[in-house]
Amino acid sequence: MLSSCWRDGKVDKWEVYMEIYQLLKQGFSKATIAKKLNISRTTLYNYLKRSPEEMTIWLASTK
């Protein structure tokens, strides 16, 4: 799970974003998801605020 989110020592933000939604569908709490993915709850909530389209635009702007 988490290992698939890492590429060349960097976290793949899109993979994390998708993993968050998969874990939510499975019934995990937000706090548990943050722990599983080794991200802060603040980061998790920031990801949840974004639609897939917004996430794509944001990711493109960070490259």
Side-chain angles (χ1 to χ4, degrees):
M1 176 192 328
L2 179 62
S3 60
S4 67
C5 296
W6 287 86
R7 306 259 189 273
D8 299 323
K10 294 183 182 176
V11 68
D12 183 327
K13 292 178 176 77
W14 182 257
E15 291 289 329
V16 171
Y17 180 76
M18 297 306 294
E19 190 74 23
I20 289 168
Y21 280 97
Q22 288 176 355
L23 292 169
L24 282 171
K25 280 185 183 180
Q26 293 175 28
F28 288 95
S29 71
K30 291 176 179 105
T32 300
I33 293 169
K35 286 179 188 173
K36 280 182 167 288
L37 298 179
N38 200 27
I39 59 174
S40 70
R41 285 184 296 149
T42 302
T43 298
L44 181 122
Y45 281 101
N46 285 335
Y47 277 35
L48 290 175
K49 287 182 199 174
R50 295 183 168 101
S51 69
E53 294 81 17
E54 291 169 326
M55 191 67 177
T56 301
I57 292 167
W58 178 71
L59 288 172
S61 73
T62 62
K63 289 186 178 181

